[in-house]
Amino acid sequence: MTDYIKYLLSPFILVLHAWGMALGGAYAWVGFAVLMWILCFDAFLKPSHHIRDTRYPWIYDAVITCTVLACFANIFFYAYLAGNGHFVGGAAQTGAFLGTVMIGFVIGAPPVHELFHREGLALRTLGRIGQCLVFDPWREITHVVTHHMHTATPTDPDYARRGDTVYGHFTRTFPGQWKESYHLEKMMWTKRGRKWYDLRNAWVFKVAYFSLFLAVLFSVGGLVGGGLACATLILGPRMQLEVFNYCNHYGLVSATPGRFKKHHTWNHLTPFTRILALEITNHAGHHDDSYKPFYELAPDEIGPKQPPFILCVIMAFIPPLFMMAMKPLLKDWDDHYANAQEREIAARENTRAGWDELNNDSSNLNSGAMALA
Amino acid sequence: MNDVRAQRNLAAEQICSVSVGDSNKDGFSVNRNDMLLKAALDQGIDYPHNCRVGVCGQCKTKLISGKVTPMVDLALSPLTNAEIESGYFLACQGKVRGNINIEIKLGQHHVVPEQQVAGRISLWKRLPGEVIELRIALETPFQYEAGQYGFLAESGSFVRRCFSFSDAPPAEAGVGATEVGFLIKRLPGGQFSEWLFKEDRTGLKMWLHGPYGVMGIDDADTSGICVAGGTGLAPVLSILEQRLSSSAHAKFVVIFGVKFANELFAMDKLAALQTRFPGRVRIIPIVSHEPENSTWQGARGLVTAPINEQLGVDFSSVAAFVCGGLPMVNAVEAKLIAMGMNPERIHADKFMPTG
């Protein structure tokens, strides 16, 4: 039964964060502090290859459903408190804000992602509406259709090529996703012979529930509370998700779009990251069968691995550090995972990034790669 | 005892029967919630398919009764709205939710396994109509069937595009081609075709991934009409050569359409087939935009124009092989059906130019 209990960690942190915010003052930092402490502690743990108990899947589903609902409650609560001047002083305001940002990303986004991949109508609908928590009701369509179909190729807006910084990635990925969302939505209404404004179009539903979400947020928090809550969602789940995407396929190469192989993604398999991120960092399994629930994903023990999750996210904001960590890993990937065609693409990508040393067989970067992995 | 019975009932509920058309012989079973195509292939059933990821549309299946849930909105698939509304779905994207009855032709052909092969450009030749004839000498023999296509990519590049093979595959079963040919049209702004047209690329390393598509499958001795628009001629050439070689009797009419007379390309290849198989190939080049006052003496109009009684073909007994842009193929299909052709004998490859 311990497997089922593990996934209560996310709602537990949410409750702690809400409790801390309710108390105010220095307690507003509780959620943020606990979450960061767990992630930092996790960075020192060995990868876990444990397969989850799947005898009672409904328990997992109940937990993540409650987590999504609790995340809605949490953001409304934050908007209410922030809008009513509950947080006195910069420290309390900062703690509550940062906590809501990071918890929105680490705890709010994974169950939303999990649920919009589900097949059942109820859970999938909750996942779709849950996209309000990542401040983008269109995130699903470009993710499920484009990202999963074009993994590790530049035609996927979520993909970062070798040498790309996270800041450059932001400027490309958002416009790329918006363009792709429009293209896919247009394809759906055009093929069905509908006008763009037809009320049956999917985008109408998305606009409707997102507008309702914003209306509730601003009505409970006013202009200040609603605005701050939106800011936490934009800076947290919305932007950090792109940092996650930036890291998770960084520099990898697929020569056969639509034919995912397990080496087309990095994995982060430390125990608490797996639990908090609902196994999404167990990424090869997810791409291998994106309809497989998180508790059925088997970790890829021999697949490419990045440094611990929290370290990757932090390093991504310091490009020289991130590149320094990634180059040996990519060299190792080229030498041990890529097929012949992918190696040739990788070599050209190295040149494009100005990393010709990775194309040198005598490069001693490999030893570093093994150490980091 | 009750538990055992309950377990049996549960097991029975989890198994769904798949019946194919009115026949009982093609039926099979799958687990509830299994993806139809994967479940069929896992059982060794020759289910038409190619990409398996909802792109090629080869596993298009009609649902007669029962419930199948598509994993992605079918409007994002290659199916037309009319097909979706008629109950078609893609087997590779369809989860079986209960007992179903479907319409699909099983066992149409032996599926050639996917291959990823390197080679070097052995011929780069400009043809009229902004077409390049490209030939690639392969490092490893590559198996494919007439009418199929493969993805081409320059070594080191992410950019890849699909093109139909223009040669007939080797006649011996299980033997791969050591050289493959393509006819590639320049599409302004197209990443791949613009790169290819920029300069002579002879000697460059390329990668070929495939084969995909099913187009040329019909009875070997059946005569046929081939209709090609532009570089849709490539698979037609492949099918034509293969069918002429494998039958001693089959005769073909080839309707080949381009916009202007000076854009007619690969006519030497068609003429060579005429010479090699005397009396069995008739060629009708047709131009749609040729100025009235030009010296062109041949047929004018769209490729549908020559499809009439004067063609001297018994439409009810021949097969058709049609390749070109979507509107062209749709128009040809409609005309052929209006002339009395059995829709099941029309083998079409509709392509969208991607350059």
Side-chain angles (χ1 to χ4, degrees), chain B residues 179-215:
Chain B
E179 189 174 81
V180 287
F182 303 92
L183 296 169
I184 298 172
K185 172 92 175 168
R186 176 172 169 253
L187 188 78
Q191 251 185 306
F192 185 91
S193 67
E194 291 283 22
W195 166 83
L196 186 67
F197 270 74
K198 198 172 177 187
E199 59 191 48
D200 186 346
R201 302 291 184 181
T202 306
L204 264 188
K205 185 175 181 182
M206 302 289 288
W207 283 90
L208 172 63
H209 183 212
Y212 301 111
V214 180
M215 186 184 163

Side-chain angles (χ1 to χ4, degrees), chain B residues 76-291:
Chain B
L76 298 173
S77 76
L79 298 179
T80 64
N81 194 39
E83 287 172 330
I84 296 167
E85 287 180 350
S86 308
Y88 282 95
F89 67 99
L90 297 181
C92 69
Q93 299 291 305
K95 288 225 169 186
V96 180
R97 303 300 193 187
N99 296 338
I100 58 171
N101 179 238
I102 55 172
E103 196 175 284
I104 183 77
K105 271 190 185 173
L106 298 179
Q108 286 191 84
H109 74 302
H110 166 69
V111 178
V112 182
E114 268 186 346
Q115 301 142 79
Q116 198 172 357
V117 174
R120 290 195 182 272
I121 295 176
S122 54
L123 177 73
W124 181 96
K125 185 180 170 187
R126 281 185 189 275
L127 301 181
E130 294 217 282
V131 172
I132 292 282
E133 181 185 359
L134 194 74
R135 297 197 67 77
I136 300 175
L138 302 170
E139 290 176 0
T140 314
F142 185 93
Q143 289 184 47
Y144 66 95
E145 291 175 348
Q148 288 195 297
Y149 63 89
F151 280 92
L152 278 182
E154 179 213 358
S155 164
S157 173
F158 276 112
V159 181
R160 64 179 207 157
R161 296 289 183 266
C162 55
F163 301 101
S164 295
F165 300 101
S166 59
D167 302 327
E172 302 84 7
V175 174
T178 52
E179 189 174 81
V180 287
F182 303 92
L183 296 169
I184 298 172
K185 172 92 175 168
R186 176 172 169 253
L187 188 78
Q191 251 185 306
F192 185 91
S193 67
E194 291 283 22
W195 166 83
L196 186 67
F197 270 74
K198 198 172 177 187
E199 59 191 48
D200 186 346
R201 302 291 184 181
T202 306
L204 264 188
K205 185 175 181 182
M206 302 289 288
W207 283 90
L208 172 63
H209 183 212
Y212 301 111
V214 180
M215 186 184 163
I217 310 298
D218 208 307
D219 298 336
D221 283 323
T222 302
S223 294
I225 302 172
C226 299
V227 186
T231 47
L233 183 66
V236 163
L237 280 169
S238 175
I239 290 168
L240 194 59
E241 184 184 353
Q242 191 266 333
R243 297 186 73 81
L244 286 166
S245 306
S246 58
S247 167
H249 315 288
K251 293 181 177 180
F252 293 87
V253 177
V254 181
I255 301 169
F256 175 35
V258 293
K259 284 187 176 175
F260 302 100
N262 63 4
E263 289 183 346
L264 283 165
F265 59 90
M267 293 301 288
D268 56 330
K269 294 184 185 301
L270 286 168
L273 288 174
Q274 269 185 320
T275 308
R276 194 171 143 200
F277 302 98
R280 295 175 59 196
V281 183
R282 185 150 56 106
I283 301 165
I284 304 174
I286 183 164
V287 292
S288 58
H289 291 64
E290 184 70 9

Side-chain angles (χ1 to χ4, degrees), chain A residues 78-90:
Chain A
Y78 171 75
Y80 172 77
L81 294 177
N84 286 282
H86 176 74
F87 303 113
V88 181

Side-chain angles (χ1 to χ4, degrees), chain A residues 53-222:
Chain A
D53 181 351
T54 55
R55 285 176 298 169
Y56 311 105
W58 65 269
I59 298 179
Y60 292 120
D61 291 347
V63 170
I64 60 169
T65 299
C66 290
T67 307
V68 169
L69 296 174
C71 284
F72 271 109
N74 185 67
I75 195 69
F76 293 136
F77 188 48
Y78 171 75
Y80 172 77
L81 294 177
N84 286 282
H86 176 74
F87 303 113
V88 181
Q93 288 166 1
T94 308
F97 185 84
L98 285 180
T100 310
V101 165
M102 282 306 287
I103 283 170
F105 166 48
V106 179
I107 291 174
V112 169
H113 167 265
E114 171 70 21
L115 290 177
F116 71 54
H117 269 289
R118 288 300 185 85
E119 298 162 35
L121 183 65
L123 292 181
R124 194 166 195 173
T125 303
L126 179 60
R128 284 177 168 161
I129 294 171
Q131 289 177 100
C132 294
L133 296 169
V134 298
F135 216 73
D136 187 353
W138 281 271
R139 196 65 195 87
E140 171 209 2
I141 191 169
T142 53
H143 178 83
V144 173
V145 180
T146 317
H147 174 60
H148 276 267
M149 284 299 300
H150 299 274
T151 308
T153 69
T155 41
D156 170 20
D158 294 3
Y159 173 67
R161 297 170 79 168
R162 297 181 183 199
D164 289 356
T165 67
V166 77
Y167 304 106
H169 181 66
F170 285 144
T171 65
R172 283 181 294 273
T173 191
F174 289 118
Q177 287 174 32
W178 296 330
K179 191 176 158 192
E180 185 68 5
S181 301
Y182 172 73
H183 165 73
L184 294 171
E185 289 279 0
K186 187 179 176 185
M187 195 170 162
M188 288 195 285
W189 78 60
T190 305
K191 188 171 276 189
R192 293 209 162 92
R194 298 175 187 163
K195 299 288 186 190
W196 67 270
Y197 49 80
D198 192 307
L199 293 178
R200 293 168 298 173
N201 291 335
W203 73 265
V204 177
F205 179 57
K206 289 168 185 164
V207 167
Y209 68 70
F210 192 50
S211 301
L212 181 66
F213 170 73
L214 291 177
V216 175
L217 209 55
F218 279 94
S219 67
V220 298

